[in-house]
């Protein structure tokens, strides 16, 4: 059974870079798109970015200038870096697997439990 | 960006009730819509894909309908484990966008 697990620092200082990794267990990153999403406290869900196992990525324009997503097929992991963070970046960060029907996006069929990241000095 | 307007934002209901949640898209998205259930501390769960396709293992009391700009999630005969927050998601175009969420609470 494939499972996703987010990991990384729970506390990040303002202006620094938030770094998270999603480990895929029981399966492989190959042949799928992988996404990062987040949910600030008391707010709704926001899609951040996705990446294909080949390395091709797409970003939410609202965050694009600060976000880098990468994949490591040898470790079955993918990662998120969000630079110049502020308190507004405090959120539960989720990783998720995206299903495609051919080339057509078909939503997220598998999610991690999420990790709460707080931006504070 | 495609805006997803979800209503109601909260809903109070009793075990055994039938509830309906609606999402409206700011432009047509075909059937590129899913419904997700979120509970604190657990992995979000997809209930419905392609607007109306029930996911494997999801109870049949959940159903989805709609296309283009109007979508609904219906839960018949609410069970205690159904009290959670529900979101719609459009994945027709980037950036993928969610509705604002509906918190379903026990009356």
């Amino acid at each position: 059974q494939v499972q996703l697990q987010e990991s990384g620092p729970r506390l990040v200082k303002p202006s620094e870079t938030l770094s998270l990794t999603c480990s895929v267990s029981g399966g492989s990153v190959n042949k799928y798109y992988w996404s990062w999403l987040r949910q600030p406290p008391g707010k709704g869900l926001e899609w951040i970015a996705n990446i294909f196992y080949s390395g091709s990525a797409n970003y939410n324009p609202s965050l694009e200038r600060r976000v880098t997503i990468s994949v490591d097929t040898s470790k079955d992991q993918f990662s998120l870096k969000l630079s110049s963070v502020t308190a507004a970046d405090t959120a539960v960060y989720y990783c998720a697997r995206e299903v495609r029907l051919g080339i057509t996006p078909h939503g997220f069929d598998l999610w991690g439990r999420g990790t709460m990241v707080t931006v504070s000095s | 960006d495609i805006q997803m307007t979800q209503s109601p934002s909260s809903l109070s209901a009793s075990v055994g009730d039938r509830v309906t949640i609606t999402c409206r898209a700011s432009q047509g998205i075909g059937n590129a819509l899913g419904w997700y259930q979120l509970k604190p501390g657990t992995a979000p769960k997809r209930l419905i894909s392609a607007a109306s396709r029930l996911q494997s293992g999801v109870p049949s009391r959940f159903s989805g309908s709609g296309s283009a700009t109007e979508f609904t999630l219906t839960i018949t005969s609410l069970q205690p484990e159904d009290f959670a927050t529900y979101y719609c998601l459009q994945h027709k175009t980037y950036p993928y966008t969610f509705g604002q969420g509906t918190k379903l609470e026990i009356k």
Side-chain angles (χ1 to χ4, degrees):
Chain A
Q1 180 177 345
V2 180
Q3 292 185 317
L4 307 183
Q5 177 69 58
E6 303 91 347
S7 61
R10 303 295 178 93
L11 181 64
V12 181
K13 290 183 168 55
S15 79
E16 295 189 345
T17 296
L18 179 160
S19 296
L20 294 173
T21 295
C22 184
S23 299
V24 180
S25 61
S28 168
V29 296
N30 290 340
K31 306 294 175 63
Y32 285 98
Y33 277 82
W34 303 91
S35 275
W36 286 99
L37 307 97
R38 69 181 183 177
Q39 183 175 29
K43 297 188 177 181
L45 288 160
E46 180 179 36
W47 174 77
I48 300 171
N50 70 6
I51 190 165
F52 194 42
Y53 76 102
S54 63
S56 174
N58 299 281
Y59 296 93
N60 191 322
S62 68
L63 295 166
E64 184 169 12
R65 64 178 179 84
R66 298 194 292 131
V67 172
T68 302
I69 190 171
S70 59
V71 62
D72 186 337
T73 55
S74 67
K75 295 182 179 179
D76 286 318
Q77 294 177 338
F78 61 105
S79 298
L80 173 75
K81 291 189 186 299
L82 179 65
S83 64
S84 304
V85 296
T86 69
D89 295 309
T90 294
V92 176
Y93 285 78
Y94 295 98
C95 59
R97 185 175 73 179
E98 181 179 337
V99 181
R100 296 260 165 152
L101 297 183
I103 62 170
T104 303
H106 197 57
F108 306 110
D109 69 333
L110 188 64
W111 297 61
R113 289 191 171 193
T115 186
M116 179 70 199
V117 179
T118 301
V119 178
S120 175
S121 55
Chain B
D1 299 3
I2 296 177
Q3 307 302 315
M4 301 301 296
T5 302
Q6 185 173 339
S7 61
S9 57
S10 64
L11 186 53
S12 183
S14 301
V15 172
D17 284 354
R18 172 190 171 107
V19 298
T20 298
I21 300 168
T22 299
C23 260
R24 289 189 173 86
S26 59
Q27 62 189 75
I29 59 171
N31 69 345
L33 182 119
W35 290 97
Y36 296 81
Q37 179 191 65
L38 270 70
K39 294 181 179 179
T42 67
K45 180 180 181 181
R46 183 165 71 172
L47 304 172
I48 301 286
S49 66
S52 61
R53 188 178 303 170
L54 190 68
Q55 299 302 280
S56 175
V58 176
S60 60
R61 61 181 180 272
F62 291 91
S63 64
S65 65
S67 66
T69 61
E70 292 267 341
F71 302 88
T72 60
L73 172 70
T74 299
I75 315 171
T76 58
S77 189
L78 276 170
Q79 298 301 300
E81 61 268 28
D82 300 337
F83 292 94
T85 304
Y86 294 85
Y87 290 88
C88 62
L89 163 72
Q90 73 79 19
H91 48 82
K92 178 68 172 177
T93 62
Y94 290 124
Y96 302 149
T97 47
F98 291 86
Q100 299 94 323
T102 296
K103 186 173 184 178
L104 180 54
E105 299 175 306
I106 300 176
K107 185 183 289 183

